Amino acid sequence: MDYFLTWGHSPWGQQILTHVSWNLLWAALFAGVAFLVAHASYMVLSAHRKRHPAETDAMEAARPDLPARIPRHSGVARAFHWVMAASMLTLLSTAFLPIAGVKFAWVQWHWMAGLVLTTSILFHVIHASVWLDFWSIWVGPKDIPELRAEILRELGHDVPGPKPGKYPLGNRLYHLALVVVGLSVIASGLTMMVRVRTPLFPRNPYLLSDSTWGFVYVTHGMAGVALVGLVIAHVYFAVRPEKWWITKAMILGWITRRQYLEHHDPDRWVVADPGSRIPDPAQQ
Amino acid sequence: MAVIRDVMPAFELFQPASTADALNLLDRYGADAWIFAGGLDSFDWLKDRIKRPRYVVDLGGIAELKGIRARDGGLEIGAMTTLTEVVSHPIVRDRYAILTEAAEAAASPQIRNQGTIGGNLSQDTRCWYYRAGWSCYRAGGNICYADTPESINREHAILEADRCVAVNPSDTAPALIVLGASMVIRGSSGERVIPAENYFVGPGTDITRMTALQPGELLTAIRIPGDWAGSNFYWEKVRDRQVWDFALVSVASAMTLSGTTIQNIRLVINGVAARPLRLATVEQYVKGKPRNESTAAAAGDMAVEGAQPLRFNAYKVPLMRNLVKRAIRGVEEWTTS
């Protein structure tokens, strides 16, 4: 059990949970890198389905009404994404570099980055609920046919199953994992701030019982090491050549008409507002 | 509080005859090995049965770690040199009187006969919550028992507290920082020499250690340059029992004067944080100013800026302020002028 959790004892002799074992950090790093290697090997060696350019040419010819550039992420959404990414990387480095042997005064940077992350997530929840298509990022039973079709395509089959709406299924599953892990790390982290000195509120080490504090620390640690694996996977997919168009959209805000038709189902992601279309510079 | 027992847990004792052998043992046994110098800190841990090392490496038989020798216009003191030897050494008394005073203020004559300067510098904190063996932050847990609404924390930190509020107990540390000393550290990968002020680490940087020593490393010597030899020193240690106690707060300074103007100064305070604090801002402020009551008072006020006392140690704020003031002003000059 010490491989996963660390235990201590209270002044009353009770055994109490204290932390996750930092062995799990190395396990998460290993899992992340192993996934990366396995996926990269599969992509090199497998016969996964690639759409023939002629098919996309035909689709593009059939939809001349679409603009050359399709808006995918608003400026506000992109700003949120990069603020969140910066705060997440700061959180992970301040949390895990000291464990890896790089010693520095990390606590203040950690909780400040945590507050930036919390604020940006709160903003994102409100922004997505009010101004974006809230349900476009979520997964549910309705996506099972798409999951089946995506798996078959990855295995090299040519299947007619549904294509993604605005977000590919992988994106939506990743978002779901991040929601669970991210909310766990934020809730536990905000609670833990009560135990450290900040200018925001008085310390109260007795807010919770020893065993409940242990649970909070373990939740924070578990979610933290899980984020290591999730971030490795995210960065890996962001830099993969066949996914670069998605990353580029997170920088520039738009994708091309060809990418839209090649990767998305126009019936599930309708480009509705002609006013929002970004003009093609070639026609300007 | 932990109860001291008569019998320590069993361990395998090694008594190497050279530093290289000691390092090999530390390398071989890693976290299971315990470094034993004079034994005064170690025996507390072992007899309390809080620490239960499987292997103890006694440095007492390593001749190369002992003695005081001249080096590059200064001195090199072996880490296993006893405090009594430091106190009685003629060159230390003549040129580095502040170190004599500081070492002589440590504990009792019997303890100084056994205790080493390396042990005095590297000893663990005396926070009794931590030394009782409870799972506090410093022991790898997730709470500081000394920083709760009910804690008895009269001796704890007023500055640089970061989750843990323990303080550094060393008497010789502030004197050596003032003298611009360097610590010679050896490990299996070689030797490194770091300034004394960087040898001590606060909880923000590493909450489970008091020093920059990494597992498998040994403090082998302390090198003191000649830069501050014979300058105007000030040392004062305030403690509950004058005959034998750890410092509540101690101050050390070395100063050079041009007439009555402070030309250069190094000023260090201990007992207020988990590491001895060099007061660089105060040093900068007083340089070029006359050594008088007004400069000293301003320096004292500046020194305690940012202090955050706990429930029972607010007295350390005026104590620290006054010690800094006395270190700048000097006691004899003031009382005779």
Side-chain angles (χ1 to χ4, degrees):
Chain A
M1 202 59 179
D2 287 351
Y3 286 106
F4 302 105
L5 302 171
T6 59
W7 299 81
H9 54 273
S10 72
W12 299 273
Q14 298 159 322
Q15 194 179 44
I16 45 171
L17 261 179
T18 53
H19 295 286
V20 292
S21 164
W22 297 126
N23 292 332
L24 292 179
L25 167 62
W26 307 113
L29 273 172
F30 177 79
V33 173
F35 170 77
L36 185 156
V37 171
H39 185 270
S41 306
Y42 174 76
M43 293 302 284
V44 170
L45 302 172
S46 73
H48 56 277
R49 166 92 171 114
K50 283 182 181 170
R51 192 186 295 280
H52 195 279
E55 287 179 62
T56 317
D57 290 343
M59 292 164 75
E60 215 177 349
R63 291 297 304 271
D65 56 311
L66 288 171
R69 291 177 178 179
I70 312 288
R72 192 166 195 265
H73 303 295
S74 67
V76 171
R78 281 177 281 148
F80 155 74
H81 176 270
W82 293 112
V83 168
M84 189 185 70
S87 58
M88 181 63 76
L89 290 175
T90 307
L91 282 163
L92 291 179
S93 355
T94 49
F96 293 120
L97 284 178
I99 291 165
V102 182
K103 301 293 183 187
F104 60 96
W106 59 274
V107 174
Q108 194 173 1
W109 293 104
H110 191 73
W111 67 252
M112 289 194 308
L115 289 184
V116 172
L117 178 71
T118 306
T119 309
S120 66
I121 298 258
L122 277 175
F123 167 79
H124 173 65
V125 169
I126 295 165
H127 180 243
S129 306
V130 178
W131 285 283
L132 301 180
D133 178 5
F134 182 80
W135 296 109
S136 64
I137 195 68
W138 295 99
V139 282
K142 66 181 183 347
D143 296 305
I144 290 173
E146 185 186 341
L147 173 66
R148 183 175 169 279
E150 286 293 321
I151 291 171
L152 288 172
R153 283 186 196 116
E154 285 298 320
L155 293 173
H157 301 281
D158 188 6
V159 289
K163 285 197 294 177
K166 185 172 182 183
Y167 299 105
L169 190 59
N171 272 30
R172 283 175 280 152
L173 287 169
Y174 184 86
H175 180 265
L176 181 63
L178 208 58
V179 166
V180 173
V181 175
L183 290 182
S184 302
V185 85
I186 285 173
S188 54
L190 290 175
T191 310
M192 287 160 69
M193 279 184 68
V194 177
R195 272 206 168 177
V196 298
R197 290 184 184 185
T198 70
L200 306 174
F201 37 72
R203 285 180 70 252
N204 182 4
Y206 292 160
L207 179 70
L208 305 170
S209 68
D210 282 349
S211 53
T212 312
W213 273 119
F215 176 76
V216 170
Y217 275 72
V218 165
T219 302
H220 197 68
M222 288 281 188
V225 293
L227 281 168
V228 171
L230 285 171
V231 168
I232 289 174
H234 183 71
V235 173
Y236 164 70
F237 281 116
V239 298
R240 275 207 63 85
E242 78 277 6
K243 305 285 186 191
W244 177 239
W245 65 276
I246 299 178
T247 308
K248 198 174 156 190
M250 190 48 83
I251 298 168
L252 301 174
W254 50 265
I255 59 174
T256 62
R257 176 174 52 215
R258 187 177 182 82
Q259 288 160 343
Y260 170 73
L261 292 167
E262 185 177 1
H263 299 286
H264 297 276
D265 183 342
D267 293 330
R268 297 181 72 191
W269 176 23
V270 180
V271 178
D273 180 12
S276 69
R277 293 172 183 178
I278 300 169
D280 181 358
Q283 295 172 357
Q284 287 179 326
Chain B
M1 292 291 289
V3 178
I4 293 185
R5 278 94 168 177
D6 292 332
V7 182
M8 291 180 281
F11 52 77
E12 195 171 344
L13 177 66
F14 291 92
Q15 295 181 305
S18 70
T19 307
D21 287 346
L23 291 173
N24 282 338
L25 288 164
L26 296 179
D27 206 30
R28 188 190 309 168
Y29 296 118
D32 290 330
W34 179 270
I35 300 169
F36 185 98
L40 296 156
D41 192 12
S42 298
F43 279 130
D44 277 358
W45 284 117
L46 300 179
K47 297 195 88 173
D48 280 353
R49 300 188 178 192
I50 304 299
K51 306 283 187 186
R52 294 168 176 264
R54 292 177 62 191
Y55 308 98
V56 170
V57 180
D58 175 10
L59 306 179
I62 305 178
E64 64 195 278
L65 295 181
K66 296 177 181 173
I68 301 174
R69 44 210 168 253
R71 184 193 166 96
D72 299 335
L75 284 182
E76 182 174 271
I77 304 176
M80 285 297 289
T81 307
T82 66
L83 292 171
T84 298
E85 289 172 288
V86 172
V87 169
S88 56
H89 195 276
I91 298 178
V92 175
R93 295 187 82 87
D94 181 45
R95 302 183 67 200
Y96 306 103
I98 191 170
L99 181 57
T100 307
E101 276 192 81
E104 202 161 23
S108 65
Q110 293 92 332
I111 289 175
R112 291 196 293 274
N113 285 340
Q114 176 67 20
T116 64
I117 191 163
N120 186 263
L121 290 166
S122 308
Q123 63 184 308
D124 215 335
T125 181
R126 297 282 157 175
C127 170
W128 52 83
Y129 293 99
Y130 165 61
R131 293 186 82 103
W134 298 338
S135 303
C136 70
Y137 278 122
R138 188 163 287 280
N142 60 29
I143 186 170
C144 176
Y145 288 108
D147 191 11
T148 70
E150 288 84 26
S151 303
I152 304 300
N153 43 31
R154 187 170 165 273
E155 286 80 6
H156 289 76
I158 56 170
L159 285 163
E160 283 200 357
D162 187 337
R163 296 160 291 156
C164 169
V165 294
V167 295
N168 183 291
S170 174
D171 287 320
T172 54
L176 287 166
I177 295 172
V178 153
L179 290 170
S182 301
M183 305 300 194
V184 183
I185 296 168
R186 279 181 64 186
S188 54
S189 57
E191 181 179 287
R192 61 192 178 107
V193 180
I194 60 172
E197 60 192 284
N198 296 344
Y199 181 69
F200 304 96
V201 296
T205 305
D206 193 337
I207 205 163
T208 59
R209 294 205 181 101
M210 302 290 287
T211 69
L213 282 180
Q214 295 297 311
E217 286 188 327
L218 277 181
L219 173 67
T220 58
I222 299 105
R223 289 178 188 157
I224 309 174
D227 305 355
W228 291 91
S231 51
N232 198 325
F233 295 124
Y234 187 86
W235 160 262
E236 189 168 356
K237 169 181 176 177
V238 175
R239 49 192 148 174
D240 281 327
R241 293 182 301 170
Q242 195 60 23
V243 63
W244 172 24
D245 217 334
F246 291 101
L248 294 169
V249 181
S250 63
V251 70
S253 74
M255 189 187 293
T256 55
L257 294 164
S258 172
T260 57
T261 303
I262 299 169
Q263 240 182 351
N264 207 355
I265 184 170
R266 283 170 76 95
L267 178 64
V268 176
I269 195 104
N270 204 11
V272 297
R275 64 188 183 103
L277 298 180
R278 187 169 168 205
L279 305 178
T281 313
V282 180
E283 289 175 8
Q284 284 304 317
Y285 171 75
V286 301
K287 273 183 200 172
K289 292 199 166 50
R291 186 188 192 190
N292 58 23
E293 178 69 10
S294 156
T295 303
D301 290 340
M302 188 179 282
V304 296
E305 276 176 19
Q308 286 185 291
L310 307 169
R311 187 182 181 204
F312 288 112
N313 70 357
Y315 74 93
K316 281 195 176 187
V317 176
L319 179 56
M320 177 180 167
R321 181 191 296 121
N322 286 330
L323 284 178
V324 168
K325 193 172 159 183
R326 286 153 73 95
I328 302 293
R329 183 188 68 192
V331 178
E332 289 172 23
E333 287 81 351
W334 176 252
T335 51
T336 55
S337 63

